[in-house]
Amino acid sequence: MATQIKMTNDKTGITKDGYIGFSYSYFFLGIFNMGWLVPLYRGELILSLVCLVIHILTLPFWVITSVVFGIFFNKFYTLKLIEEGYRFSDSDTELVSRAKTVLGIKQ
């Protein structure tokens, strides 16, 4: 199950949720070739379109695609937030430390 972690952009002051762990929402929607709705719901239009194209191209392997995207989607999304200037702002220091470890970010 994915763990939610608060992230804040210092320049804009916008707060978003980052996630670490397996994305069950992407997995279960991906089974019905609708996994692209998850990035669309999170406000990532281009990422949603990329996922839609990949789902169409890998249609015969829909279960495998759903599992692979379920494993990697939250990590990719959270790293994308970090590249956009977001930082961890969650008060749970243990969770932040675990997120940095999972994402491969040096302390």
Side-chain angles (χ1 to χ4, degrees), residues 17-65:
D17 294 325
Y19 300 91
I20 55 172
F22 189 80
S23 177
Y24 284 100
S25 57
Y26 201 104
F27 172 71
F28 287 118
L29 285 172
I31 287 177
F32 301 106
N33 290 317
M34 294 176 22
W36 55 273
L37 289 173
V38 177
L40 186 65
Y41 176 76
R42 293 183 187 175
E44 301 290 335
L45 180 62
I46 294 175
L47 182 58
S48 178
L49 292 174
V50 169
C51 291
L52 176 62
V53 169
I54 291 172
H55 273 286
I56 290 171
L57 293 175
T58 61
L59 194 57
F61 310 105
W62 51 272
V63 173
I64 295 169
T65 304

Side-chain angles (χ1 to χ4, degrees), residues 10-11 24 27 41 68 70 72 76 93 104:
D10 290 332
K11 293 180 183 176
Y24 284 100
F27 172 71
Y41 176 76
V68 170
F72 293 107
F76 178 75
T93 56

Side-chain angles (χ1 to χ4, degrees), residues 7-15 81 84-89:
M7 301 180 77
T8 304
N9 189 321
D10 290 332
K11 293 180 183 176
T12 62
I14 297 173
T15 301
L81 288 178
E84 292 176 358
Y86 286 84
R87 63 170 182 79
F88 297 115
S89 60

